[in-house]
Amino acid sequence: MKGLILTGSAHAALAPITFTAPLGALPLLGEALIAHQLRRLSRLGVEDVLVAMHHLPAPLEAAIRSATPEGMRVSVALESALSGSGGALKAHAAFLSQTTLVLSGDVIDWLDLEGAIAHHRATGALVTAVLSPQASPGALGAALTTGGMLKSCAPPERPEVWHTGIYLVEPAALDHLPGTPCAIGREWLPRLSAQGLRVAGHVAEGAWHPAGTPLGYHQAQLAALCAGTAGDAILHVDPGALVHPEATLVPPCWIGPGCRVGREGRIGPHAVLVRDVEVARGASVERSIVLAGTSLGKATRWHDRLVWRHGSFDVDRPQAPFEPSPDPEVLRSTMRAPRGERLGQLLDSSLAIVALLALSPLLLAISLFIYLDDPGPVIFTQLRVGQDRRAWREGSLRGRVFELYKFRTMVRDAERRLSALKAHNHYGDGAFFKLTHDPRITRLGRFLRATSLDELPQLLNVALGDMRLVGNRPLPVYEAEALDEDWQRLRFSCPAGITGLWQISGRSDLSEKERMVLDSYYSVTRTFWSDWLILLKTIPALLLRRGAR
């Protein structure tokens, strides 16, 4: 038996990926999916395979040849993007010299083809459509006679079975192909039936995916890469991938060559990083496929998505449009700040650099004391959410994510002990988290916090442009995500700062709501002179140590 794989039936929504992706066209996008499909065809007894596609980059052709199972012959051919699946059959008529299994945009996971072959031969049909008892996006409803012949291909409201893109085709059927482009299921099969020719349908047990749709391609990749044997979940990390020791991998997941997973990244369950994917610190990928060359920004969340470097699809909504995302970090500000804001940032950065140079002996001394008190890293970094100038979208985290620097005042495993201490939160069940007597703080750390000397490394954040000297306190990601009301999120419309209205008004002595109100109030009332007034008031606030802990 022969096999013909047609890759030109991709859903219109996938056109940006189909025609410009670095590894070629769907459904053979990615070496692992190619290998999976060819192995399945080999087990079905297919010995000779022709892969027809619109364009063929060299890496994809090499991947096809390297994935060919022993005893199988695989050849590759180009076809016109305008020919349709029926036209592709005509173009490759010489190859269809015997019964041929045609896959038009579908990827087989597993399939009981023996029953379909037996039915095909028993009925003497020119074409047998392998039908699914479950609907799939874009499928056509079909009705069968008692003898298993295809009665209609129209999409009724409650179809009994559905077309897939899988067909058994006899060479004689090619004599009845029209001279114009046509689709096999939607046009050619109804014409054959109307002419009184034998067209059969067989409801097959199995699993396959219409890989020309976002949802289908998502399912096909997961089946190819994350499906273990005997119920075991696969956890695959390519030797050419780098995964930070503090990243979390939840099987089943598959991480391809050249991928980089940063600190606190979370991959899985049911996640695939195809190749050369960059996952920044704190990013999460779950039930998603990330295609080659994509960068995911700090603390971004990807769930049920097909992600590409220029955008993504929501696979739970088959009709949802492709969502461009020119900024791969998603949460980072994409709008240029006003001129006055840029001048203020330049002034703050200059002052921060001067302060870092002047305070360098003190910074070195504190670093030495921290190490002697509790050996380990002297600088603590944490993802924080600052200003965002983008238009707000419902459900989106409003704020730029960056790494904040502080002197370490806690034991080294403080972050891992956080969940066990949340019941003692100073703010109760609120969004913010603070402990009145935090057992994780070291002896020297209590002094550094009381005097706010632990905040000095944030001058580096100011010098880098992440923060300003005055602004709202940048929040940890988990606190920022807990702010779900517009008035609360208003705080992100102004820059993050080392000191601010909250710091000079009592800090931790204030309630959570008072802090939120102060943040929002500052966001809508801040001026150049009010920032300098706050900066001056910070000095007595530091000396009095009010609310510092």
Side-chain angles (χ1 to χ4, degrees):
M1 182 183 294
K2 293 188 173 184
L4 175 61
I5 299 177
L6 306 177
T7 66
S9 59
H11 192 274
L14 287 178
I17 295 177
T18 303
F19 295 106
T20 58
L23 288 181
L26 294 174
L28 298 178
L29 183 58
E31 296 91 326
L33 185 55
I34 295 171
H36 175 78
Q37 184 67 115
L38 294 180
R39 285 196 302 268
R40 291 296 186 189
L41 293 180
S42 179
R43 293 170 188 170
L44 292 172
V46 178
E47 300 175 349
D48 197 356
V49 176
L50 174 64
V51 180
M53 58 185 64
H54 295 159
H55 66 292
L56 183 63
L60 182 61
E61 183 174 14
I64 292 174
R65 301 200 185 285
S66 64
T68 302
E70 185 177 354
M72 175 182 281
R73 297 182 302 276
V74 178
S75 55
V76 180
L78 297 178
E79 64 179 27
S80 169
L82 303 176
S83 63
S85 53
L89 294 185
K90 197 166 197 175
H92 305 295
F95 176 78
L96 280 75
S97 59
Q98 57 181 272
T99 303
T100 303
L101 174 66
V102 178
L103 303 180
S104 180
D106 278 23
V107 171
I108 295 175
D109 186 2
W110 64 276
L111 176 64
D112 178 18
L113 189 62
E114 287 76 10
I117 294 173
H119 182 75
H120 177 73
R121 291 172 177 169
T123 58
L126 289 178
V127 181
T128 295
V130 183
L131 304 173
S132 168
Q134 297 182 350
S136 61
L140 280 173
L144 299 177
T145 66
T146 53
M149 304 305 292
L150 198 66
K151 186 166 61 175
S152 71
C153 296
E157 293 182 1
R158 297 177 61 85
E160 298 175 1
V161 290
W162 284 265
H163 271 296
T164 67
I166 303 176
Y167 308 94
L168 289 164
V169 179
E170 294 296 329
L174 305 182
D175 297 335
H176 303 279
L177 277 167
T180 57
C182 68
I184 296 177
R186 293 179 180 273
E187 300 173 273
W188 189 41
L189 295 189
R191 290 183 186 182
L192 293 178
S193 296
Q195 296 172 17
L197 300 173
R198 301 184 69 80
V199 180
H202 178 77
V203 181
E205 293 184 2
W208 56 88
H209 312 286
T213 66
L215 176 61
Y217 179 72
H218 177 265
Q219 294 173 335
Q221 280 279 23
L222 291 179
L225 303 177
C226 293
T229 57
D232 297 328
I234 285 180
L235 177 59
H236 170 83
V237 180
D238 189 270
L242 290 179
V243 179
H244 194 280
E246 294 184 30
T248 302
L249 305 182
V250 183
C253 68
W254 196 94
I255 300 176
C259 293
R260 303 289 184 270
V261 180
R263 178 182 173 187
E264 300 171 18
R266 179 183 175 87
I267 310 299
H270 301 290
V272 172
L273 311 183
V274 176
R275 173 188 285 274
D276 298 323
V277 173
E278 296 282 346
V279 180
R281 179 176 177 179
S284 170
V285 182
E286 181 178 347
R287 301 188 305 275
S288 296
I289 310 296
V290 186
L291 302 184
T294 304
S295 296
L296 306 182
K298 297 172 183 175
T300 52
R301 305 286 186 261
W302 302 93
H303 303 284
D304 301 295
R305 308 294 295 185
L306 174 56
V307 188
W308 188 39
R309 66 183 184 275
H310 295 308
S312 64
F313 298 96
D314 184 345
V315 298
D316 276 344
R317 296 186 296 150
Q319 305 305 318
F322 176 78
E323 297 178 8
S325 179
D327 175 10
E329 292 193 9
V330 178
L331 303 182
R332 186 175 61 189
S333 173
T334 59
M335 294 181 63
R336 187 175 176 84
R339 184 174 63 178
E341 191 75 36
R342 298 199 302 273
L343 291 174
Q345 179 64 66
L346 179 61
L347 176 61
D348 282 7
S349 297
S350 301
L351 292 174
I353 293 172
V354 172
L356 285 170
L357 293 174
L359 296 174
S360 55
L362 175 61
L363 297 176
L364 290 174
I366 293 175
S367 300
L368 177 61
F369 289 144
I370 291 175
Y371 184 80
L372 293 176
D373 182 57
D374 183 31
V378 298
I379 297 295
F380 169 75
T381 66
Q382 186 181 48
L383 291 181
R384 294 290 182 100
V385 182
Q387 185 181 19
D388 185 16
R389 301 181 187 91
R390 297 177 303 126
W392 178 74
R393 288 192 311 159
E394 184 177 358
S396 66
L397 178 58
R398 188 185 178 100
R400 180 191 177 200
V401 178
F402 63 92
E403 291 191 59
L404 177 133
Y405 304 105
K406 296 179 65 174
F407 279 126
R408 182 171 63 88
T409 60
M410 294 186 176
V411 294
R412 281 168 290 176
D413 64 342
E415 291 290 289
R416 290 193 291 269
R417 294 168 59 179
L418 177 63
S419 58
L421 297 171
K422 285 188 174 180
H424 306 286
N425 187 6
H426 170 73
Y427 295 114
D429 295 329
F432 299 149
F433 179 80
K434 190 77 173 181
L435 294 178
T436 304
H437 301 288
D438 196 328
R440 301 172 298 169
I441 300 177
T442 62
R443 293 174 299 174
L444 179 61
R446 296 191 186 279
F447 170 77
L448 294 176
R449 287 191 168 212
T451 57
S452 297
L453 291 174
D454 62 320
E455 311 283 355
L456 289 178
Q458 291 169 43
L459 290 169
L460 180 58
N461 287 114
V462 177
L464 294 173
D466 296 327
M467 298 173 59
R468 298 286 299 275
L469 292 175
V470 180
N472 279 330
R473 187 72 182 149
L475 299 181
V477 173
Y478 59 87
E479 290 187 358
E481 290 177 328
L483 302 182
D484 52 6
E485 297 184 30
D486 286 350
W487 74 270
Q488 297 170 344
R489 298 189 186 209
L490 188 62
R491 72 181 315 280
F492 298 117
S493 63
C494 73
I498 296 180
T499 186
L501 193 57
W502 171 66
Q503 283 87 339
I504 66 172
S505 301
R507 297 178 69 175
S508 298
D509 289 342
L510 301 177
S511 68
E512 180 181 61
K513 188 169 184 179
E514 287 173 329
R515 179 179 173 182
M516 290 182 181
V517 170
L518 285 174
D519 288 345
S520 299
Y521 176 78
Y522 170 77
S523 299
V524 298
T525 61
R526 65 183 289 263
T527 65
F528 176 81
W529 298 113
S530 67
D531 280 358
W532 278 101
L533 182 60
I534 290 174
L535 201 57
L536 292 174
K537 289 185 176 181
T538 301
I539 298 174
L542 289 175
L543 296 175
L544 294 174
R545 301 183 183 181
R546 183 186 172 194
R549 54 177 177 267

